[in-house]
Amino acid sequence: MKLFHNIRTLYTPTGFSARRGAEMQSIEEFENAAIFVDDRGRILNVGSFVEDRAPAPSVASSGKVSIEYIDCHGFVALPGFVDSHTHCAFAGERSDEFAMRAEGKSYQEIAKAGGGIRASVEQVRHSSMAEIVHYSKPFVERALALGTTLMEIKSGYGLAVEQERKLLKAMDELQRETPMEIVKTFLGAHAVPSGIPHGAYVTDVLDNQLPALHHLAEFCDVFMDEGYFTEDETRSICHKAKALGLKIKLHADELEATRGAETAVELGAFSADHLLKVSAEGIRALAGSRGLPPTIATLLPITALSLRAPHAPARKLIDTGCAVAIATDCNPGSAMSENMQFAFTLAVIGMQLTPEEALTAATLNGAAALDRARTHGSLERNKLADFVLYDIPSLEYLPYHIAVSDVAAVVKSGEIVAGSL
Ligand code: NIG
Ligand code: FE
C-alpha cells in the first residue's frame, strides 16, 4: 500500500455519475491531505491528516501491512484530467490549413479545396501502423505529462475497413507503449472519402466497417453536420452500432444546428460534442436527458479558438441543468493541442465556467461521457488513484497561469508516470 501525504489541498468532485447544472460547482476540499492507495492502484481512502495521523484505511488489515510513504511536498492534488474527445491517432500535421485560416479561409472552404479530414486520411493511408504509432505517441506522452490520465481516441482518418482497423490497432499499441489509459471510438462516419458517392460510403460503414470493426472499439461516433452526415444516416449507423454492442457519441451542431443534440439524446448517446451552434431545443433536450446514461454536453473550446468561432453556450447549458464536460478535440486540423489545462483555461476565460465547474467538466463529467464515472474522474474510495500534483497554491491558479504547466508529478493507478516527487 502507498500513502501519498503532505498534500497542501486536494480538490475533487464527488460521485459515481455525471454532475449536472448547479451540482457542477460542488467540489470537496481537503487541507493537509493524504491519499491511501492499495496494491492494485485503487483508492482506499482520501482525507485530511488529523493530529499527524493518516486517514485510516477502510480495509481491515490483519498481520503486517507494509506502507510506502510518499511525501507530496505541499503540492495541490487534483484528479487526472479525462480527455473524452480526441482524434489523437494520426500521421501528419496540417499547419498549411492553419495558415490558410489565418488568411481568412473557413474550415469548410479548406475542406472543399481538398484539405481538412481528407488530407489526414491521405497521410494515414500512406502510413503503416508503426508509423502512426510513432507519430501519435509523443502527443499521448505530452498529454500525460500535462495531467491527462484517461483519454478517448477516435478513428476516422482511415475511412475504409482496413485503414480504420489500422488506426484502432494503433490505439491498442499506444495503450501498450504508454501509461495512458485509452478508450477507443470508431468514427468511420467522419467524412466521405474522395471518389466514393455519399450513399455508397454510408452503406460501406453499415455493411462492411461496423461488422468488421465493432469488436475493436467501445463507442461509435458520427460527424452529424451540414455537409457531413444527415440525421437519418446518423440514426441508421447508430442503430446498427448499438445492435453490435457499441455505445454512442455524436459530433453534433458544430458547423450548423442540424438537430445533433436532440438526436444524440434520442439515441441515448453518452455525449453530444462540439455544440457551437446548438439550438434552444437542443439545450432543452440535453437538460432533460435523465435516462441512464444522461447525454453529456462535451464542449471543445480549443476548437472554437482555433476556428475563430464563438464558443459553445456553456453558461446557458449549465444554467439550464445540463451536464457539461470539456475536452481538447486534439486533431491536426481544427485543434492541434493535447493540453487539457489549456482547455480548462479557455473554459473559464472564454466560456465563463467557474474553476470548480471547469474541474468537474474536465474530470468527473468527462469520465461519465466515457462510461467511466464509477471508476474514474474523482478522488474517492474505490476509484482508481489517478491524480496530478501541481506546484500551485490553489485550484484557481491552474486556469489563471495561462498555458504554462505547473505539474510536478502525474500518478496513474498509484504509480508516478510523469514528473517526480
Ligand atoms: O472534431 N468535426 C469533425 N472532426 C474534427 C476535425 C477533424 C479534422 O479536421 O481533422 C473535429 O473538429
Ligand atoms: Fe472531434
Side-chain angles (χ1 to χ4, degrees):
M1 291 197 282
K2 288 181 185 149
L3 183 69
F4 292 86
H5 67 104
N6 194 15
I7 294 167
R8 175 196 186 111
T9 313
L10 182 152
Y11 300 86
T12 184
T14 54
F16 296 83
S17 57
R19 305 281 101 185
R20 44 169 77 239
E23 298 167 355
M24 289 181 63
Q25 180 63 25
S26 133
I27 294 292
E28 291 260 12
E29 261 184 69
F30 299 99
E31 301 297 328
N32 189 19
I35 306 174
F36 223 124
V37 181
D38 73 12
D39 292 333
R40 295 175 312 145
R42 303 234 163 213
I43 296 174
L44 290 168
N45 209 355
V46 170
S48 295
F49 260 58
V50 182
E51 292 167 3
D52 278 347
R53 284 181 41 233
S58 59
V59 286
S61 37
S62 58
K64 283 215 179 83
V65 192
S66 80
I67 298 175
E68 186 186 346
Y69 285 81
I70 299 166
D71 186 345
C72 296
H73 306 294
F75 295 137
V76 158
L78 305 179
F81 288 133
V82 178
D83 193 350
S84 62
H85 181 139
T86 90
H87 304 252
C88 205
F90 50 96
E93 53 90 19
R94 286 161 34 204
S95 54
D96 53 337
E97 295 179 15
F98 181 80
M100 285 162 82
R101 285 204 302 279
E103 286 162 12
K105 294 254 184 324
S106 73
Y107 183 79
Q108 290 96 313
E109 284 168 338
I110 292 166
K112 280 211 183 85
I117 294 165
R118 286 175 179 175
S120 288
V121 171
E122 279 309 302
Q123 293 166 337
V124 161
R125 289 185 175 186
H126 288 101
S127 305
S128 66
M129 189 198 75
E131 285 166 336
I132 294 166
V133 172
H134 182 78
Y135 198 86
S136 307
K137 194 169 155 187
F139 287 84
V140 173
E141 288 173 334
R142 279 189 297 265
L144 190 81
L146 290 162
T148 298
T149 48
L150 174 62
M151 176 189 243
E152 184 250 19
I153 307 183
K154 301 173 196 298
S155 67
Y157 291 133
L159 309 186
V161 173
E162 292 315 317
Q163 303 299 329
E164 288 288 303
R165 190 195 308 279
K166 186 165 71 179
L167 284 167
L168 291 163
K169 294 273 187 189
M171 294 173 210
D172 290 336
E173 195 55 31
L174 289 167
Q175 167 81 83
R176 275 192 287 276
E177 292 185 20
T178 72
M180 183 69 81
E181 188 174 346
I182 291 169
V183 174
K184 295 181 292 172
T185 297
F186 167 71
L187 177 57
H190 194 195
V192 174
S194 36
I196 301 187
H198 189 98
Y201 185 68
V202 174
T203 304
D204 185 55
V205 172
L206 285 167
D207 294 354
N208 300 324
Q209 296 187 34
L210 273 170
L213 303 174
H214 66 92
H215 61 290
L216 293 174
E218 181 174 341
F219 287 88
C220 174
D221 194 343
V222 175
F223 188 6
M224 175 177 159
D225 217 312
E226 195 66 44
Y228 289 84
F229 296 91
T230 66
E231 180 176 339
D232 283 348
E233 291 161 351
T234 302
R235 284 180 184 277
S236 320
I237 291 167
C238 291
H239 283 139
K240 176 94 181 211
K242 282 171 93 168
L244 291 166
L246 291 168
K247 293 172 270 194
I248 304 299
K249 293 179 157 295
L250 289 188
H251 277 68
D253 303 322
E254 178 188 4
L255 307 172
E256 295 299 337
T258 59
R259 275 187 37 86
E262 296 93 313
T263 306
V265 173
E266 286 159 22
L267 288 168
F270 277 72
S271 66
D273 301 32
H274 282 287
L275 303 175
L276 297 183
K277 298 280 180 67
V278 64
S279 66
E281 296 77 45
I283 294 175
R284 268 201 298 280
L286 287 165
S289 72
R290 300 272 160 184
L292 269 180
T295 303
I296 311 283
T298 300
L299 309 184
L300 309 165
I302 296 174
T303 310
L305 178 78
S306 179
L307 297 182
R308 297 172 173 78
H311 284 289
R315 267 285 34 106
K316 190 85 189 285
L317 286 157
I318 295 176
D319 296 343
T320 312
C322 300
V324 166
I326 53 173
T328 62
D329 195 20
C330 180
N331 77 75
S334 63
M336 186 61 151
S337 176
E338 58 278 47
N339 188 341
M340 274 295 281
Q341 187 200 324
F342 188 51
F344 194 116
T345 289
L346 289 178
V348 174
I349 297 178
M351 302 199 299
Q352 283 82 43
L353 267 67
T354 66
E356 290 81 7
E357 289 170 335
L359 182 62
T360 303
T363 58
L364 183 58
N365 283 1
L370 296 179
D371 197 16
R372 293 287 191 285
R374 299 207 67 76
T375 45
H376 296 70
S378 62
L379 299 175
E380 51 195 317
R381 200 169 290 171
N382 293 328
K383 289 209 181 185
L384 281 176
D386 291 358
F387 57 93
V388 182
L389 295 156
Y390 294 89
D391 188 4
I392 58 177
S394 62
L395 171 63
E396 44 275 16
Y397 194 94
L398 187 80
Y400 159 72
H401 196 186
I402 298 170
V404 176
S405 175
D406 290 309
V407 170
V410 179
V411 178
K412 174 81 191 97
S413 301
E415 303 289 336
I416 298 173
V417 292
S420 59
L421 286 172

